[in-house]
């Protein structure tokens, strides 16, 4: 029997040649378990006879070679945080003869689902994901196929998987406490997309600190009860952050300090302050970034490279022992004072 006259060989043609069901043929060419070895050999022989190739990874599997790639799913690639994280993962994986294939969701859950499907078709060995999803069913499907998934920066809410996150609550608390200690009582919060757990956790830390200071004699004069009017969300990029900063500073009662809860928002605040020639509004940013030291920006810092490296180590450990208990690793943050967060309140 030759290749069907209709043109490209399909998996159904392979199944028919091998005398098995389409589902069995799929399991065999994808290297899945629960397929008898004689059946797998028969399917692979049929695929070879017909010139069938599911994809490059399937070709490797047909020859008994496992993929050496680990998929890394990031958010916005314009954010240098993800580049540093990926470098940390790649360096650690290289020591185990594994390589990284990188994809960006651009913070879109729909785009992320497409990426996960593509990684599954490429038969990657594992996935490291900074997920923008609120439901992680596509990753559960990967796990059922024996593909380890490690989440970074944002832990899943409905999936049992290894995760590495930052102490977002503690970092935001440290920023708010620092500005309060400097005498500020009108402190604005610029946050990312509301749906992201990092936004919610940083807001939680900020909110708890401001609530504790509201009406407290220990912070005399106390924080005004209307401080929540200075909370903003959706400042995902510098352009939006700059616009929101301008709106806040043009208000009848502007803030004397701003806490920007991600590095891209911090850049937007700096841009607007520079445009105005404003050297009095205090600023603390979450995430360190290139030139922050030169510009004198006080930040809540952490080690993104270490996060990537730790994620890679969890991948290697999960590949070696799929049944091990899942881990939630929380990495520390630290306040780095450089000047912008130490400006006193305007008189």
């Amino acid at each position: 029997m030759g290749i069907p006259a209709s043109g490209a060989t399909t998996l159904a043609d392979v199944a028919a040649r091998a005398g098995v069901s389409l589902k069995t043929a799929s399991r065999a060419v994808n290297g899945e378990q629960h397929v008898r070895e004689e059946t797998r050999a028969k399917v692979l022989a049929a695929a070879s006879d017909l010139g069938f190739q599911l994809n490059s990874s399937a070709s490797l599997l047909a020859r008994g070679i496992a993929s050496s790639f680990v998929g890394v799913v990031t958010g916005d690639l314009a954010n240098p945080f993800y580049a540093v994280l990926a470098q940390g993962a790649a360096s650690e994986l290289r020591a185990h003869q594994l390589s990284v294939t990188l994809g960006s969701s651009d913070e879109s859950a729909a785009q992320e689902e497409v990426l996960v499907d593509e990684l599954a078709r490429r038969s990657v060995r594992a996935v490291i994901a900074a997920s923008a999803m609120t439901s992680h069913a596509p990753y559960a499907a990967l796990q059922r196929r024996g593909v380890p998934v490690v989440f970074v920066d944002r832990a899943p809410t409905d999936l049992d998987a290894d995760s590495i996150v930052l102490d977002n609550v503690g970092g935001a608390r440290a920023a708010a406490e620092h500005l309060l200690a400097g005498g500020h009582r009108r402190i604005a919060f610029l946050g990312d997309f509301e749906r992201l757990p990092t936004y919610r956790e940083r807001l939680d830390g900020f909110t708890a600190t401001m609530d504790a200071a509201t009406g407290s004699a220990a912070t005399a004069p106390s924080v005004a009860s209307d401080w929540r009017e200075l909370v903003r969300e959706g400042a995902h990029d510098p352009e939006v952050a700059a616009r929101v900063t301008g709106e806040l500073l043009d208000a009848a009662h502007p803030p004397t300090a701003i806490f920007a809860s991600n590095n891209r928002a911090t850049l937007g605040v700096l841009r607007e302050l520079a445009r105005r020639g404003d050297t009095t509004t205090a600023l603390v940013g979450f995430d360190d970034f290139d030139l922050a030291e030169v510009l004198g920006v006080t930040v809540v810092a952490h080690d993104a490279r270490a996060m990537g490296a730790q994620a890679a180590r969890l991948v290697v450990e999960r590949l070696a022992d799929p049944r091990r208990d899942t881990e939630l690793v929380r990495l520390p943050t630290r306040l780095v004072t450089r000047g912008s967060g130490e400006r006193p309140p305007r008189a």
Side-chain angles (χ1 to χ4, degrees):
M1 181 185 299
I3 297 176
S6 59
T9 306
T10 67
L11 187 58
D13 300 324
V14 174
R17 166 67 73 91
V20 300
S21 68
L22 183 60
K23 187 173 184 178
T24 297
S26 176
R27 286 176 174 173
V29 299
N30 280 294
E32 296 183 20
Q33 299 177 352
H34 311 302
V35 179
R36 295 169 59 187
E37 285 308 313
E38 57 266 34
T39 301
R40 189 188 309 279
K42 185 163 55 175
V43 171
L44 295 179
S48 178
D49 289 346
L50 296 174
F52 173 80
Q53 186 173 331
L54 183 61
N55 54 37
S56 58
S57 296
S59 178
L60 290 174
L61 287 168
R63 290 180 277 133
I65 305 172
S67 167
S68 63
F69 284 97
V70 172
V72 176
V73 177
T74 72
D76 184 356
L77 275 182
N79 189 334
F81 166 79
Y82 293 116
V84 176
L85 186 151
Q87 288 171 357
S91 179
E92 183 70 23
L93 290 169
R94 198 175 300 119
H96 300 275
Q97 292 74 53
L98 294 169
S99 301
V100 160
T101 180
L102 189 66
S104 170
S105 70
D106 201 25
E107 302 296 0
S108 163
Q111 177 62 23
E112 183 176 346
E113 188 165 357
V114 172
L115 280 174
V116 173
D117 183 62
E118 174 64 19
L119 291 172
R121 289 192 290 111
R122 292 186 183 184
S123 300
V124 293
R125 290 287 294 281
V127 172
I128 296 171
S131 180
M133 292 181 171
T134 55
S135 173
H136 297 91
Y139 291 104
L142 276 179
Q143 287 182 324
R144 288 192 293 271
R145 294 180 56 178
V147 179
V149 180
V150 175
F151 288 89
V152 290
D153 195 38
R154 308 156 185 173
T157 56
D158 54 358
L159 189 69
D160 187 26
D162 295 313
S163 305
I164 306 172
V165 298
L166 296 173
D167 180 12
N168 291 302
V169 173
R173 182 186 299 117
E177 289 175 347
H178 183 70
L179 291 169
L180 287 168
H184 294 278
R185 297 298 175 261
R186 292 189 60 78
I187 305 171
F189 176 94
L190 264 65
D192 208 325
F193 296 133
E194 186 275 336
R195 57 186 165 80
L196 297 178
T198 45
Y199 163 85
R200 296 193 296 272
E201 290 172 6
R202 293 170 193 177
L203 180 60
D204 285 347
F206 180 81
T207 297
T209 305
M210 297 297 286
D211 277 342
T214 301
S216 169
T219 60
S222 65
V223 174
S225 59
D226 63 351
W227 65 264
R228 284 180 174 79
E229 294 179 2
L230 299 176
V231 173
R232 299 291 187 274
E233 65 180 59
H236 177 69
D237 55 54
E239 292 72 26
V240 174
R243 174 177 56 78
V244 172
T245 299
E247 293 170 355
L248 286 166
L249 295 177
D250 285 339
H253 300 287
T256 63
I258 297 173
F259 173 43
S261 72
N262 65 68
N263 53 359
R264 302 277 283 160
T266 302
L267 292 175
V269 176
L270 286 170
R271 182 182 299 174
E272 180 61 17
L273 294 181
R275 189 187 71 81
R276 292 168 174 259
D278 185 336
T279 59
T280 61
T281 301
L283 170 64
V284 176
F286 201 110
D287 303 323
D288 211 346
F289 60 94
D290 289 345
L291 296 181
E293 185 174 5
V294 175
L295 296 172
V297 181
T298 295
V299 297
V300 176
H302 53 85
D303 193 337
R305 187 179 182 89
M307 176 178 281
Q310 179 67 17
R313 285 192 286 273
L314 287 176
V315 162
V316 172
E317 291 171 8
R318 180 65 57 187
L319 286 169
D321 182 9
R323 297 182 180 276
R324 62 189 294 275
D325 291 340
T326 56
E327 291 187 43
L328 171 62
V329 179
R330 197 175 302 277
L331 299 180
T333 59
R334 67 188 189 282
L335 186 73
V336 180
T337 58
R338 295 182 177 131
S340 71
E342 292 67 61
R343 297 167 183 160
R346 292 184 293 273

